[in-house]
Each structure stands twice: as C-alpha cells, then as structure tokens.
Amino acid sequence: MPIEFTHIPGKTADAAVPFFYDFAETSTKLGLIEDGGFQKIVVDDSAGLLTNMDLASQVLNRTASLEVVLTHWAGVIEPTVAARQLASIDRQSGGRLALRMISEPLNDDDAETRPVGHGVVWQRIDEYLVLLKRLWSNDRPFDHEGAFYSIKNGYVPRKGPHGADLLVRMGGQSGTALKVAGRHADVFELAPGPIDDIRQLMERARGAAAEHGRAGKLRFALPVRIHQGVSAAGHKAVDLSGPPAQVALSLLAYAGLGIDEFMIVGVDTPREIATAGRETLALLRNSLARREASEFQPGAYAPRPGLETRAAG
C-alpha cells in the first residue's frame, strides 16, 4: 500500500489567526494541500468538539478529494446524536470522513461530566465506540444500559456510506489505551520518539489488535515535523531536520518499519505547503517507487547512525 500524507494545520510564527479562521486564505491553502500530494487533513481546533464538526463540514465542502480526520472524544454529545451528525457529514462528503478519537477534550469546559481516572476514560471511549458502530449498522431501534450511557430506541435512519466501517483512528501507550485501540482502531497514531521505541510501540499495538483478530488490519501513522514553525498545541512530532532529500531519506527509514502514513506538522504557509509537496513528499514517493521496483525486503533501509529523530513538542 502506498504511503499517504496527512496535513496537521498549526499556527505559524507570523500568523495570529488559526488555520481555519480565515476561510478566504484557508481555501487557497486547502487547494495547495490537495494538489501537493496530501490525502488527508486533521481538524483539531481548540474551540471544541462542536466547532470541529462544523469546520470538518466546511473543509469537505471546499475540497474534492481530501479526507477529513475529525478529532473527537466521548463525553460531550450523546452517542445517538453524535452518530446521526457524523453519518450526515460522511454522507454529504461522499465518504471522506475519518474519526480520530482522543482520550481527553482539548478544553475542560467542553466536558460537563468528565470521568476521573485513566482507566475510566478509556472504558467510556470503548462503550461510546461500540454504540456508534451499532447505531451505524442497526436496522431497527435498540435499547442499551451501560456504565456510561443509557439509550432507548436508539436508531440512525440515514447511515453514512461506510456504515459501521467508518474509519477510526486512535493512539496511546498505556496497556489500557492499547487494549481499546486494538479493538476499534483502523489507524494507530504513533507517539514520537526514537525509532526503536516506535518499533516497539507498533509491536505492542499489533499484539493488542491480534487479541481481536485484527492484527493484519491495523495501519500506522507517524506525526513528523519537517519545518521549524510553531505547531498546533497538543501535536507532538518526530523532528527531522535538513534539506528535503535528507528528510525524505529519514522518512524512508520509518516507512521500512511498516508505517503507512506520515502526519506532517509545521507546514502552514502557502509557500511551505507547496514546497513540501513539490520536494519532500515527491522525493519520498520516488524513493518508495524505486524500492518497490527493486523488490525491497524488510530491514534493507535500516536507519543510519546519527539519524536525528528527537521528539519535539
């Protein structure tokens, strides 16, 4: 499967307005992102979950092919309401929506009833996702009484194009987080760190997915910063420095681990977006094409000593 690229919008040092809040300029940037080789864009705004859903709809309406990765969390909207709204967004976009579940809201004011304790948070996420998938697939109303949610006659009459197979993205490093991700995630977003730590986290995530018979279905995404800008809060990334050819070579080493997607942080001005697409992304795609043509074997592109892979916040 070819490598995919996801754009994570941030705020550049000379920009006082977040990425999505000047839609005249944003439309220009979205066009460059779409034409520059990115397949996806993350919507993850500090204003909260409802704002994220509104922004996702706007982005989908202004693009033809970009998939929107909508950051979402449990505890703000009841599952039945969320299932209907998400199905509607996905349906209107022709199936270009993915759900990125995080463990905590970005703003405490967004969650009136936030459970206390790491394990409880993930238990709620688990129940929430089970209910969303059931609502997206059921052909008749159902009742549910669980630890966090109570539903009477739950039903979504108009499903999205993917039904219960709407793509779910998750991350985490604790055993509890991995257990829930192993059950639900289609894409696992890796935490930045040394390449050996990333490899070990991938093995742990595959092991958690294997418990549910899903080891072969899990794909991996890695956040990477290739420009020394000011990234959006909460988006940590592997920091790769150097000219485009050097960065592409570094990314090739990560691709050799089995990573399917790079989430690019710190590329926000029109010039940065165009340059990244024309240089770094194109170089990596060409290198991968040559690798496949040479019948690449795992391990052939091991990281060289001195490869700079420090985690950056």
Side-chain angles (χ1 to χ4, degrees), residues 131 134 138 140-146 150-154:
L131 289 171
R134 189 174 177 187
N138 65 320
R140 64 186 63 184
F142 68 89
D143 296 339
H144 169 84
E145 195 67 42
S150 177
I151 292 178
K152 298 294 183 182
N153 296 316

Side-chain angles (χ1 to χ4, degrees), residues 204-225:
R204 293 177 64 207
R206 286 195 187 99
E211 295 181 7
H212 300 278
R214 307 180 65 250
K217 299 180 180 179
L218 192 63
R219 300 178 65 243
F220 293 95
L222 179 69
V224 175
R225 180 175 292 112

Side-chain angles (χ1 to χ4, degrees), residues 29-42:
K29 292 180 180 179
L30 289 173
L32 290 170
I33 290 167
E34 196 165 21
D35 295 338
F38 290 90
Q39 288 76 37
K40 313 173 196 294
I41 185 169
V42 172

Side-chain angles (χ1 to χ4, degrees), residues 84-156:
R84 288 175 178 169
Q85 292 179 329
L86 293 169
S88 176
I89 295 172
D90 193 36
R91 186 172 61 250
Q92 292 172 7
S93 71
R96 290 187 287 129
L97 182 69
L99 193 63
R100 179 175 181 257
M101 292 297 301
I102 62 174
S103 61
E104 295 287 338
L106 301 179
N107 186 335
D108 285 345
D109 295 337
D110 291 326
E112 295 180 0
T113 56
R114 190 166 90 180
V116 177
H118 177 79
V120 176
V121 168
W122 283 99
Q123 289 170 20
R124 183 174 65 177
I125 292 172
D126 183 41
E127 184 177 342
Y128 186 77
L129 285 173
V130 167
L131 289 171
L132 288 185
K133 292 178 179 180
R134 189 174 177 187
L135 287 160
W136 288 331
S137 61
N138 65 320
D139 56 5
R140 64 186 63 184
F142 68 89
D143 296 339
H144 169 84
E145 195 67 42
F148 302 96
Y149 299 104
S150 177
I151 292 178
K152 298 294 183 182
N153 296 316
Y155 184 64
V156 175

Side-chain angles (χ1 to χ4, degrees), residues 14-34:
D14 58 349
V17 179
F19 184 91
F20 292 110
Y21 285 77
D22 181 351
F23 247 103
E25 181 178 354
T26 299
S27 294
T28 299
K29 292 180 180 179
L30 289 173
L32 290 170
I33 290 167
E34 196 165 21

